[in-house]
Amino acid sequence: MLRFQPNKHRKPYRESIDEILSEPYDFNKVKPCIESKVFGIGVEAYTVGSGEFALSYAAMNKEKCIPLMDNGHYHPTEVVSDKIPALLAFFPEIALHVTRPIRWDSDHVVLFDDETREIAREIVRCGINRVHIALDYFDASINRISAWVTGFRNVQKALLYALLQPNDKLKALQDSGNFSKLMVLQEEQKTLPFGEIWDEYCRRCNKPIDGEWFREIEAYEKEVLEARA
Ligand SMILES: [Mn+2]
């Protein structure tokens, strides 16, 4: 007698996704996503929708769904930026949940940090039209509007930063094996005056520049949110 039932959870999970995706929809307009996770609260030792499960499902059902990577859902030594070109070698399009992981947890407010910039650079290098970008974070310990605005602006900043890179020049240096110059150029770009370009982008979009918007949120907190409490 079998003590354990193999695939007790994964088989019904697979069948339920099959059933959900059997409903008619236009795949050109609706992009169901299969998102993996490396943990679940209280079930750190075993997660049904693991990376292998989700990616295999998406690979076998390319006409019905696309894979989604949440960068809070991997081991802390793995980076989603590196996985983007790998998946795009097999899938015409992919989706992302951009977030900020801390240890085993995800969903913190996205910062303008190294990995967010690297994710944006891979998106730009691989083809911005092939990647659907969604944000996935919250933080109830800080003002939620400022959390939302900070993370959203940081992803926009990362994309602008990536678009400003001399990508053709960097590619030519890589292709010709000139890795010394490639490294030097990439390092020197880090201290170029990015903030002024971001401010100009905000002005052209008719949106507040950094330093202007937070006071509006503070005023709203005082006048509206605190009055509700
Ligand atoms: Mn997610």
Side-chain angles (χ1 to χ4, degrees):
M1 196 176 95
L2 270 177
R3 190 170 167 198
F4 298 108
Q5 285 179 269
N7 283 325
K8 184 182 177 184
H9 304 110
R10 289 194 170 110
K11 194 163 168 286
Y13 187 22
R14 180 181 175 178
E15 287 164 359
S16 18
I17 307 173
D18 284 343
E19 209 175 316
I20 291 164
L21 297 181
S22 69
E23 293 287 328
Y25 57 92
D26 183 349
F27 191 49
N28 292 317
K29 294 179 184 145
V30 181
K31 303 289 179 187
C33 298
I34 307 293
E35 177 181 3
S36 63
K37 205 159 184 172
V38 74
F39 74 98
I41 293 168
V43 290
E44 278 85 355
Y46 166 60
T47 301
V48 182
S50 60
E52 291 76 12
F53 177 94
L55 208 47
S56 303
Y57 190 93
M60 294 188 67
N61 294 277
K62 274 169 143 174
E63 71 294 344
K64 289 185 193 165
C65 61
I66 59 175
L68 184 148
M69 294 189 288
D70 180 315
N71 62 302
H73 291 181
Y74 294 89
H75 186 276
T77 60
E78 293 180 76
V79 283
V80 159
S81 54
D82 187 46
K83 299 174 191 293
I84 291 170
L87 257 60
L88 288 174
F90 294 91
F91 294 91
E93 52 190 343
I94 62 169
L96 299 177
H97 273 178
V98 181
T99 186
R100 175 165 54 101
I102 293 183
R103 312 255 189 271
W104 60 87
D105 197 5
S106 69
D107 301 328
H108 297 270
V109 178
V110 180
L111 303 182
F112 187 58
D113 57 13
D114 286 349
E115 175 58 2
T116 306
R117 280 198 295 271
E118 201 55 33
I119 286 173
R121 290 175 74 178
E122 285 297 343
I123 293 170
V124 168
R125 288 172 191 144
C126 293
I128 205 159
N129 299 328
R130 297 178 64 192
V131 183
H132 302 271
I133 306 166
L135 310 184
D136 187 2
Y137 62 85
F138 61 92
D139 187 339
S141 71
I142 56 178
N143 180 296
R144 292 178 193 202
I145 303 166
S146 74
W148 178 49
V149 174
T150 300
F152 206 104
R153 283 169 75 97
N154 280 338
V155 172
Q156 290 177 311
K157 273 182 191 171
L159 287 167
L160 180 65
Y161 188 85
L163 288 163
L164 289 167
Q165 304 290 307
N167 289 310
D168 292 342
K169 198 171 175 182
L170 295 171
K171 184 180 182 304
L173 290 170
Q174 179 178 278
D175 290 348
S176 61
N178 195 343
F179 300 120
S180 309
K181 197 171 178 186
L182 180 66
M183 186 182 73
V184 169
L185 195 60
Q186 289 192 108
E187 288 305 297
E188 288 180 351
Q189 281 160 21
K190 291 177 181 173
T191 47
L192 291 178
F194 172 71
E196 287 170 24
I197 301 168
W198 167 253
D199 285 352
E200 179 58 19
Y201 171 72
C202 292
R203 279 191 283 267
R204 287 189 195 188
C205 295
N206 204 22
K207 296 287 180 262
I209 61 169
D210 286 359
E212 280 184 350
W213 57 268
F214 187 65
R215 71 177 81 103
E216 281 182 51
I217 288 171
E218 280 182 308
Y220 184 79
E221 184 170 69
K222 210 155 190 57
E223 288 155 26
V224 181
L225 296 179
E226 281 178 15
R228 277 187 202 156

